[in-house]
Amino acid sequence: MKRYILLEDTFLEQLREARKEPSNLLNAVSYYGRKKDKEHADRCFGLIFDIDDVDDVTLNRFLYGCQDEHRVYPTPNFLVVSRSGRGVHLYYIFDEPVRLYPKIKVQLKSLKYGMTKWLWNQYTSNNEKVQYQSYDQSFMIAGTKENMTVWCLRDECYKLEELFSMAQMEFNKEELWIESQYTLEEAKKKFPQWYEKVIVNGEHEKGHWKCKRDLYDWWIRKMLHPVDGATYGHRYWCIMMLVIYAVKCGIPYEEVKKQAYELVSELNSRKPDQPFTVDDVNSALECYDVQFATFPIDDISRLSGISIEKNKRNGLKQKQHLYLARRRKEDMKAIDLPMKAPEGRPTQEQTVREWRRFHPNGKKADCIRETGLSKPTVYKWWI
């Protein structure tokens, strides 16, 4: 195997040399330094999709759906037909390369996953097993080993938000990294406190509080629950959220890595014919970064497919809410007025456990009827 380092000023000449080899792979990502790995990924220039088991019928269906009057699928900038491999590669090129900072990586992965599910279906492929790949997946360069046909279908490149909109997915533009107008030396003089905190001490720019380990352990239980836990289509995202919770709780990297590897067999059992692999875990571990310490609950729930109930504080800050709750409790005691639940409303888990304590031989149907809880909730906490 030979590895070529393609430089911007001599890219075409080097590419011509690389194409002389029997086969060559290239992706749409550039790197800084000499290592081609996710830690050194710098910019992403587009997304490439691979659809297998394509014939004339399914290809014509896809092209038909790309026409303006139908607009079922976004028209790729390039479509590469592999005659021997019975597959096509679809290239969607960005109008501006995307800087690969941690938070935008999550959005790119989500977009690649969502668009793959959209583009690869029963009408565009004869293979029902959709294969999901990372945004930095490498593909055969047209003109090397295989006899390929390349079609240019669209001259105009895509804005990133345009692809999100067409895929009907949410896009947080604030997480795009914009080139600074200052050099590092200029920023050191102009923003000395920021420089000391972020560059010298390596702290997160916005700051965050560290959560208790209980939150990390809770997510593992939540993820592995047989009824409401990780499902086949969300296994990867559940591990990614485990890594993010590890960041929030200050769990060491090696510990969460070991834990994630141990979960592979369990998650694989959710759908063995579509295996969950160590490679999936390694990809998710990229999110072990302090920038994810403030990753919002809504996004965790959306990506993982697991419902998370929020604590209701009626729009108040946590300190304000707790102050008023404790004040009310003291006032009720002062006038000797009993409270219905002085220690707070019992959780659904507590309700089920308490019912079982008084009904050791009781049945789930009885618990559902007497507590008023839903069937999934009772089954969830019937341990």
Side-chain angles (χ1 to χ4, degrees):
M1 180 178 290
K2 296 181 180 179
R3 185 182 297 273
Y4 293 89
I5 298 179
L6 306 180
L7 305 176
E8 189 171 358
D9 54 348
T10 57
F11 181 82
L12 292 178
E13 293 82 355
Q14 291 177 293
L15 185 61
R16 276 192 285 268
E17 287 297 316
R19 289 176 61 178
K20 293 178 182 179
E21 299 293 335
S23 64
N24 253 312
L25 301 174
L26 188 70
N27 64 14
V29 175
S30 65
Y31 301 83
Y32 58 89
R34 301 180 66 86
K35 291 186 177 181
K36 180 182 174 294
D37 55 33
K38 287 182 168 63
E39 290 184 2
H40 293 79
D42 179 32
R43 291 178 292 174
C44 182
F45 292 79
L47 295 177
I48 309 173
F49 298 87
D50 178 22
I51 302 180
D52 292 338
D53 289 333
V54 175
D55 56 22
D56 290 343
V57 175
T58 56
L59 180 57
N60 281 324
R61 286 174 183 165
F62 175 76
L63 295 174
Y64 180 82
C66 290
Q67 296 177 15
D68 291 337
E69 58 267 32
H70 308 297
R71 192 53 64 198
V72 179
Y73 312 109
T75 304
N77 297 99
F78 299 99
L79 186 149
V80 180
V81 181
S82 171
R83 296 185 181 179
S84 60
R86 295 169 56 208
V88 295
H89 297 163
L90 310 176
Y91 288 72
Y92 294 88
I93 311 301
F94 301 147
D95 63 337
E96 293 288 341
V98 178
R99 288 284 185 178
L100 293 175
Y101 280 74
K103 287 189 177 181
I104 198 63
K105 283 184 180 180
V106 175
Q107 293 203 66
L108 276 180
K109 289 180 179 182
S110 180
L111 177 62
K112 183 73 185 289
Y113 182 94
M115 286 190 65
T116 300
K117 193 174 182 179
W118 177 22
L119 299 172
W120 187 328
N121 56 58
Q122 59 182 324
Y123 304 107
T124 60
S125 173
N126 296 311
N127 189 342
E128 296 180 356
K129 295 183 179 180
V130 181
Q131 298 177 18
Y132 297 97
Q133 298 160 331
S134 178
Y135 59 84
D136 62 347
Q137 176 73 29
S138 295
F139 295 94
M140 190 74 67
I141 300 175
T144 53
K145 180 178 180 180
E146 301 183 10
N147 185 12
M148 295 180 171
T149 301
V150 183
W151 294 348
C152 178
L153 302 181
R154 174 183 165 118
D155 294 328
E156 185 181 358
C157 295
Y158 283 94
K159 294 183 180 297
L160 187 58
E161 50 264 46
E162 183 182 1
L163 285 176
F164 271 95
S165 176
M166 296 179 75
Q168 297 182 355
M169 301 177 66
E170 296 180 6
F171 173 60
N172 187 353
K173 191 173 183 179
E174 295 180 358
E175 292 179 356
L176 278 175
W177 191 83
I178 302 174
E179 291 277 0
S180 173
Q181 57 181 319
Y182 305 106
T183 65
L184 194 58
E185 286 299 319
E186 292 172 340
K188 180 179 179 181
K189 296 177 182 178
K190 194 171 184 64
F191 311 106
Q193 293 180 342
W194 170 86
Y195 185 89
E196 179 72 20
K197 180 179 181 180
V198 178
I199 304 301
V200 177
N201 298 330
E203 299 177 17
H204 191 247
E205 182 179 358
K206 293 183 179 179
H208 65 279
W209 66 85
K210 187 179 294 186
C211 301
K212 293 182 179 180
R213 185 193 175 90
D214 295 351
L215 182 64
Y216 174 81
D217 296 332
W218 165 83
W219 179 252
I220 294 177
R221 295 194 302 272
K222 190 87 171 171
M223 183 173 54
L224 296 180
H225 195 276
V227 179
D228 301 323
T231 58
Y232 152 66
H234 295 90
R235 295 176 297 182
Y236 170 79
W237 302 105
C238 285
I239 292 295
M240 181 186 290
M241 296 310 116
L242 175 69
V243 176
I244 289 176
Y245 272 121
V247 174
K248 290 176 176 288
C249 301
I251 307 297
Y253 175 79
E254 290 301 325
E255 181 177 346
V256 67
K257 180 180 178 181
K258 180 176 181 294
Q259 180 76 62
Y261 283 161
E262 291 174 352
L263 292 172
V264 170
S265 59
E266 170 62 28
L267 294 176
N268 188 47
S269 67
R270 303 290 165 104
K271 193 166 185 181
D273 60 329
Q274 293 287 333
F276 185 76
T277 66
V278 171
D279 289 337
D280 295 321
V281 171
N282 290 335
S283 177
L285 286 169
E286 295 172 30
C287 291
Y288 191 87
D289 190 287
V290 70
Q291 294 194 46
F292 289 109
T294 56
F295 202 76
I297 293 178
D298 289 341
D299 288 346
I300 291 176
S301 180
R302 175 175 57 85
L303 290 172
S304 66
I306 295 177
S307 176
I308 302 176
E309 295 183 5
K310 290 185 178 179
N311 293 327
K312 296 181 179 179
R313 298 200 293 260
N314 300 321
L316 300 175
K317 298 291 185 181
Q318 184 183 41
K319 289 184 178 179
Q320 296 171 328
H321 174 77
L322 292 176
Y323 172 80
L324 292 177
R326 290 167 184 150
R327 179 68 179 270
R328 179 174 179 272
K329 184 178 179 180
E330 293 299 323
D331 290 345
M332 297 287 277
K333 285 183 179 179
I335 60 176
D336 197 25
L337 186 65
M339 294 183 67
K340 185 177 179 180
E343 301 305 325
R345 186 178 63 179
T347 64
Q348 294 173 335
E349 179 182 9
Q350 290 172 337
T351 301
V352 174
R353 290 181 183 276
E354 190 72 8
W355 187 91
R356 294 199 68 188
R357 188 164 69 88
F358 288 102
H359 305 81
N361 298 320
K363 298 180 179 179
K364 295 175 184 175
D366 299 329
C367 181
I368 294 170
R369 183 177 60 256
E370 294 182 16
T371 62
L373 297 174
S374 65
K375 180 177 178 180
T377 299
V378 172
Y379 275 65
K380 177 179 179 179
W381 300 117
W382 194 275
I383 301 173

